Amino acid sequence: QNEKELQDVVKQQEEKMMQLIDKSGEVTTLKGEVSQLKRSLQRAETEAKVLWEEMRGQDPKVDAAYIQERVLLRQEVDKLRLLLLEKEDENQLLSDKY
């Protein structure tokens, strides 16, 4: 009886350790993704600064308000595209589940 209980406890501990290892791997992957996203953001910010500096120096003057509106519209389109992809992923997961 005691041996069986001990084996069950050991098995449970092994399962918990495996779950922690899996989570640790996920955390490592996520940290890598965050690092990559930070680098991408930094590159994008640098590109944006350079483009704004170039636009300011152009003749005739470029309408900054027009450009800003286009940037905002593009950001909104990107957000909507991301939401669509997320919904498609959710639907795929649900359809795979059933």
Side-chain angles (χ1 to χ4, degrees), residues 5-77:
E5 289 176 10
L6 185 59
Q7 287 175 348
D8 288 343
V9 169
V10 168
K11 184 177 178 181
Q12 289 174 356
Q13 290 299 321
E14 287 175 350
E15 289 173 359
K16 287 180 183 178
M17 284 178 45
M18 292 306 291
Q19 288 174 348
L20 288 174
I21 289 170
D22 287 347
K23 288 181 181 178
S24 174
E26 289 176 27
V27 167
T28 301
T29 300
L30 289 173
K31 284 182 179 179
E33 289 176 11
V34 166
S35 179
Q36 185 177 3
L37 287 170
K38 285 180 180 179
R39 286 192 300 273
S40 294
L41 176 61
Q42 192 172 23
R43 278 194 304 272
E45 288 173 341
T46 300
E47 289 174 12
K49 287 177 188 175
V50 169
L51 290 172
W52 276 108
E53 289 169 2
E54 285 295 316
M55 284 178 26
R56 284 191 204 113
Q58 287 186 1
D59 281 329
K61 292 288 182 191
V62 176
D63 185 5
Y66 170 76
I67 299 298
Q68 186 64 36
E69 181 180 349
R70 293 230 17 219
V71 168
L72 293 174
L73 288 172
R74 173 62 66 184
Q75 289 172 340
E76 193 63 30
V77 168

